[in-house]
Amino acid sequence: MAAQSKIKASELIDAGDDDAVELAKRHLLQPWPYAGSVGNEARALIGEGHGIYITDASGKRLIDGPAGMWCINVGHRREELAKVMYDQAMALSYNTPWYTMNAPSAELARRIADAAPGDLSHTFFTTGGSSAVETALRFMQFYNNVRGRPEKKLILSRGGAYHGSTYLSASLNGRPRDRDWMDGADDLVVKLSSPDPFRRPKEMSIAAFIDFLVDQFRDTVARVGAERIGAFVGEPVQASGGVIVPPDGYLKRIREICRENDILYVSDEVVTGFGRLGHIFASGDVFGIDPDMITFAKGVTSGYFPLGGVIISERLLEELRRSNHPDALFGHGLTYTSHPIGCAVALKNLDLLEEGVLAHTREIAAYFQARLKTLEELPLVGEVRGVGLMACVECVADRDSKDPLQLDKNVGKRIDVHCHELGLLVRPLINMCVMSPPLIISREQVDDMVAILREGISRTMDDLRKEGVWRG
Ligand SMILES: Cc1ncc(COP(=O)(O)O)c(C=O)c1O
């Protein structure tokens, strides 16, 4: 198990820790708050990061199990990245993208085009994942307007999906709870089932499950009308929905139906892009599909700078250039589109990925998955699933019925609390714990992580038994 080392809080933290907690409670709005505690909440205060570790305000060192929010791909405190950001800021900290440009963004766009599948050739840079998805959808609307198909705007999305927190991207979200109290552009979105093999009907084979999903997709297109559907947006692996790995061959079949019906396929690689599955992009290299657009963010800078983007197919751009409306304006751009510091750090991050981190990820992924799989020995664990360096431990009250612990939705949180004590930060999601550590994790560190998780789950089982919530 990881050494419970207490390392000195750094001089990097200026404000006293107590001050930060008090100030946050009085003035800071946290993301995804509940009404009952909004504006009055402090979360675990993190002072430092180094490699795969972060250190909390008490000096406790924790394995960064979720790599921030699936983003610290090459690890914390990489001097190369810090230096490149400093150098770029000293050379040119910002330029307006409205009527000027910078070299790092052009170079990054070229390298992304080289790594992207099919004819994806041009990148529009954004400030993160939500703005990348939003850009892809606004581009689809513009594209169909210019082509004289203004009615072709509906978007297909799936249960379990997470695509962001701007209005249109959030309207695609399909996770339970996300939309309960929130409005959305529901008239623009058509929802399909999640491709979650774990939750398929008991008697259904995987092959029959794929047929069901594909038939549902085809039937929906027929019912709604292909002439009204502009795009399908899907994560190759549904990440925040609980690391839902799609059954083999399903994505290829969906891609074909999109092609046949002139529906743009938008592959949301905000999590899977830039290394998480051992490749720059998973769409082509892992799943064998060539989307019309790929959205990315997070790992593109390993979280060192807020940057995202959408890569667009040459075919679509060529159609626009040849259309009857050369004066049609794509009225879309962000102050920080093509930010020079973001693009410079992304270039260096790409070097690090290509010079060893991708190969390491491909090498260690099987070990990571196999070690985590051993947690299925614990009776509270219904399934451990994953691919590359992303995995989910899903707890169930009863393996047969797969009851996701309806009695107590806080099982993930309970495990997280124990693991924090033991030196591991996990990402709790209702009854699930998601693990997606920095890609530089070693075998020994995987062992530490799994040992702590095992102990955290065991302690949670004890608590649940004592409280009479669970009898496993
Ligand atoms: C697949 C996917 N798309 C989009 C987003 C939104 O990205 P951001 O939070 O950077 O806006 C996320 C965030 O987790 C995501 O997982």
Side-chain angles (χ1 to χ4, degrees):
M1 194 170 292
Q4 299 294 299
S5 73
K6 303 232 168 187
I7 68 171
K8 197 162 74 57
S10 158
E11 321 77 61
L12 293 172
I13 315 168
D14 280 333
D17 299 339
D18 294 342
D19 289 352
V21 169
E22 274 316 304
L23 291 176
K25 281 186 177 170
R26 268 185 271 143
H27 298 293
L28 188 62
L29 279 178
Q30 312 280 0
W32 300 85
Y34 288 98
S37 53
V38 65
N40 190 15
E41 187 194 351
R43 299 186 177 177
L45 182 61
I46 306 300
E48 296 184 0
H50 196 179
I52 70 154
Y53 298 100
I54 49 175
T55 306
D56 75 10
S58 72
K60 183 188 279 294
R61 191 177 75 156
L62 305 159
I63 297 175
D64 188 355
M69 282 285 286
W70 326 87
C71 55
I72 312 294
N73 286 4
V74 300
H76 294 274
R77 203 185 294 182
R78 297 293 297 237
E79 201 167 349
E80 311 91 312
L81 298 188
K83 182 160 183 331
V84 110
M85 292 168 78
Y86 176 85
D87 289 347
Q88 183 58 49
M90 293 305 282
L92 173 71
S93 54
Y94 176 78
N95 66 289
T96 169
W98 257 242
Y99 44 89
T100 67
M101 56 176 275
N102 61 65
S105 58
E107 173 62 6
L108 181 60
R110 177 191 70 83
R111 286 186 61 184
I112 287 174
D114 287 350
D119 73 340
L120 297 187
S121 60
H122 286 64
T123 297
F124 181 103
F125 291 107
T126 66
T127 51
S130 305
S131 51
V133 173
E134 201 78 15
T135 300
L137 295 175
R138 296 199 77 206
F139 180 82
M140 174 276 285
Q141 294 173 336
F142 173 72
Y143 168 75
N144 280 326
N145 285 340
V146 172
R147 294 164 81 213
R149 299 175 192 193
E151 71 295 341
K152 197 168 168 61
K153 302 278 175 57
L154 295 178
I155 307 151
L156 300 176
S157 176
R158 299 170 300 175
Y162 183 73
H163 296 294
S165 277
T166 52
Y167 196 64
L168 191 49
S169 67
S171 302
L172 307 185
N173 294 343
R175 299 184 313 168
R177 297 189 316 176
D178 280 1
R179 295 283 311 280
D180 288 355
W181 293 87
M182 303 297 286
D183 293 352
D186 295 330
D187 49 336
L188 291 180
V189 182
V190 181
K191 291 273 166 64
L192 301 161
S193 301
S194 165
D196 182 356
F198 184 60
R199 300 241 162 250
R200 73 186 190 278
K202 224 176 179 179
E203 65 288 351
M204 196 182 259
S205 68
I206 290 286
F209 182 54
I210 299 176
D211 287 343
F212 158 78
L213 294 168
V214 170
D215 289 347
Q216 182 194 52
F217 199 99
R218 243 186 235 294
D219 294 347
T220 305
V221 172
R223 176 172 51 82
V224 175
E227 69 289 353
R228 295 178 59 220
I229 304 174
F232 163 69
V233 183
E235 300 153 84
V237 178
Q238 290 191 328
S240 301
V243 188
I244 307 300
V245 185
D248 270 357
Y250 150 80
L251 287 178
K252 273 190 182 166
R253 288 174 69 183
I254 298 298
R255 203 307 167 231
E256 275 323 300
I257 304 173
C258 287
R259 208 190 304 278
E260 286 159 22
N261 289 279
D262 191 20
I263 294 169
L264 299 184
Y265 189 118
V266 181
S267 186
D268 185 354
E269 294 227 37
V270 164
V271 169
T272 54
F274 293 90
R276 182 98 349 239
L277 271 55
H279 300 271
I280 298 298
F281 297 110
S283 298
D285 288 338
V286 180
F287 295 101
I289 54 167
D290 59 334
D292 295 298
M293 292 188 248
I294 287 180
T295 50
F296 64 85
K298 297 184 188 280
V300 63
T301 61
S302 281
Y304 281 69
F305 194 91
L307 186 76
V310 51
I311 327 167
I312 302 181
S313 143
E314 179 62 28
R315 176 180 66 84
L316 305 185
L317 300 173
E318 184 60 16
E319 270 187 70
L320 288 176
R321 290 191 287 258
R322 289 169 181 268
S323 81
N324 296 328
H325 300 287
D327 295 335
L329 177 70
F330 182 44
H332 182 85
L334 309 166
T335 298
Y336 297 130
T337 295
S338 300
H339 198 293
I341 298 178
C343 293
V345 73
L347 282 169
K348 191 68 193 171
N349 181 59
L350 209 43
D351 290 344
L352 298 177
L353 288 170
E354 288 174 348
E355 286 162 8
V357 176
L358 291 180
H360 172 75
T361 306
R362 289 196 293 269
E363 197 268 318
I364 201 164
Y367 186 74
F368 170 81
Q369 297 293 343
R371 295 294 299 128
L372 278 171
K373 198 80 179 159
T374 61
L375 298 176
E376 285 185 355
E377 293 158 9
L378 302 171
L380 187 63
V381 175
E383 183 182 58
V384 178
R385 57 175 171 266
V387 59
L389 280 188
M390 58 195 294
C392 176
V393 178
E394 176 158 357
C395 295
V396 290
D398 169 53
R399 278 190 176 161
D400 228 32
S401 69
K402 297 182 181 169
D403 176 351
L405 293 176
Q406 291 301 348
L407 283 175
D408 173 44
K409 291 184 191 270
N410 267 332
V411 165
K413 188 73 209 149
R414 286 164 178 261
I415 296 170
D416 177 43
V417 169
H418 284 305
C419 287
H420 193 119
E421 267 302 304
L422 295 161
L424 168 70
L425 192 79
V426 305
R427 169 138 190 237
L429 278 172
I430 314 179
N431 62 318
M432 300 179 269
C433 292
V434 166
M435 305 306 300
S436 58
L439 307 179
I440 53 168
I441 193 167
S442 69
R443 283 181 176 236
E444 295 71 34
Q445 290 168 333
V446 168
D447 291 343
D448 286 348
M449 195 191 81
V450 175
I452 295 176
L453 198 50
R454 177 178 286 272
E455 179 60 21
I457 296 171
S458 300
R459 291 186 187 183
T460 302
M461 293 193 304
D462 291 344
D463 297 344
L464 293 172
R465 282 192 193 106
K466 270 187 218 139
E467 292 168 29
V469 180
W470 179 68
R471 284 186 298 280

